[in-house]
Amino acid sequence: PQVAGMNAILYAAAAAGLVDANHVANVLAQVRRETGGYMSPIKETVMPSHRDKNPSDAEVIKRLDLAYAAGKLPWVKAPYWRDGWFGRGPIQVTTKANYERVGRAIGINLAYDPSLALVPEIGAKIAVIGMRDGLFTGKRLADYLFPDALGAAPSKNPRRIVNGKDGSDVEVAKFHRQFHKALVAAGWDVRLEAPLITTKPVVVTEPPHEARQTPTTKPVASQNQPEAKHKAPGIVALIAAASAAIYGGWHWITSLF
């Protein structure tokens, strides 16, 4: 899952015109933090210690209900998950309004089928476009001067692109520097072009009640775009380098290709 997740993010970044290695590194770093190193889309409540990375919707709702009843979610004014609008993705989308808004931004009807956010290629688009355009908190990648911003005070730290002041700024900055070093070494540059990426939509087995309606547009897993003239150069090297930033060595990843 780590390889598939990073692969999808790298291609999505190239397709979205994210040519600055610092911007790509920050997406990867934020996703690493948000997924606990899993690097692929997950459901809300899934923790690094969980073996089951894809619990049923009913199980996720049960966990959130228990946490809410125990007072562990003090920031939640009203349970948003009971109709199925809990978080999904490498950077999670929650609430029906946000599924609709993010779906419009990436050109995929997430409100019709919210589990599409769990498809690696679609989740990658959510992360990349969401951070590029400020869909999560209003803060965008372009709002920050890298790498200086990595050491900024919490109110001015790029971690705010994804989340509030959660004490993870230093950790995410460390991940960013590791990914950036790997990406530069592997040849990420402004000439990068992305190949066409296609994927099949997943089937929703437990859709939210409100989502059981005829969508205004059919859910698709990739945009109709002309295929690039050249594939992203050194994509295997990029994935290997990014993996090395997580696992501290090249031997683990090179055995997969």
Side-chain angles (χ1 to χ4, degrees):
Q2 288 90 349
V3 175
M6 287 186 290
N7 186 359
I9 289 170
L10 292 170
Y11 275 101
L18 222 61
V19 296
D20 188 326
N22 270 302
H23 289 178
V24 181
N26 202 253
V27 174
L28 289 164
Q30 301 264 18
V31 168
R32 180 179 176 183
R33 167 66 188 185
E34 293 296 300
T35 64
Y38 192 61
M39 300 305 294
S40 282
I42 57 174
K43 293 179 179 179
E44 193 172 1
T45 76
V46 173
M47 304 297 290
S49 60
H50 289 159
R51 291 187 177 183
D52 183 4
K53 299 299 185 182
N54 187 28
S56 69
D57 288 6
E59 175 62 23
V60 173
I61 292 169
K62 177 182 176 182
R63 291 175 183 174
L64 288 167
D65 277 338
L66 290 172
Y68 185 65
K72 296 180 180 180
L73 304 174
W75 59 88
V76 176
K77 296 180 180 179
Y80 52 82
W81 53 83
R82 289 176 180 164
D83 289 318
W85 302 109
F86 53 80
R88 299 175 181 84
I91 297 176
Q92 295 190 357
V93 180
T94 60
T95 78
K96 181 180 180 181
N98 284 332
Y99 273 103
E100 291 172 341
R101 182 171 60 86
V102 173
R104 287 193 297 269
I106 68 171
I108 296 171
N109 196 337
L110 296 176
Y112 174 77
D113 188 345
S115 69
L116 285 172
L118 297 171
V119 176
E121 291 81 2
I122 297 175
K125 290 184 70 173
I126 292 171
V128 168
I129 295 174
M131 290 184 63
R132 185 195 68 184
D133 296 350
L135 299 181
F136 302 119
T137 66
K139 302 292 186 181
R140 305 173 301 153
L141 286 164
D143 294 335
Y144 298 89
L145 181 62
F146 292 100
D148 294 349
L150 296 173
S155 62
K156 297 181 179 180
N157 194 282
R159 175 64 176 149
R160 304 292 82 75
I161 298 171
V162 169
N163 214 336
K165 299 175 184 179
D166 61 356
S168 66
D169 296 6
V170 173
E171 180 185 30
V172 174
K174 175 185 175 182
F175 297 156
H176 176 115
R177 294 185 181 99
Q178 291 172 332
F179 280 123
H180 182 262
K181 181 179 180 180
L183 289 166
V184 171
W188 188 279
D189 61 35
V190 297
R191 294 167 296 175
L192 195 63
E193 294 184 83
L196 179 67
I197 297 175
T198 60
T199 181
K200 294 181 179 180
V202 298
V203 177
V204 182
T205 56
E206 299 175 14
H209 178 74
E210 291 89 347
R212 298 171 187 172
Q213 55 185 321
T214 302
T216 55
T217 58
K218 294 181 66 177
V220 296
S222 62
Q223 292 178 319
N224 293 324
Q225 58 182 4
E227 186 169 2
K229 296 180 181 178
H230 306 286
K231 288 188 176 182
I235 192 67
V236 172
L238 285 166
I239 299 168
S243 297
I246 292 182
Y247 299 102
W250 290 78
H251 63 282
W252 181 88
I253 189 72
T254 52
S255 65
L256 297 176
F257 296 97

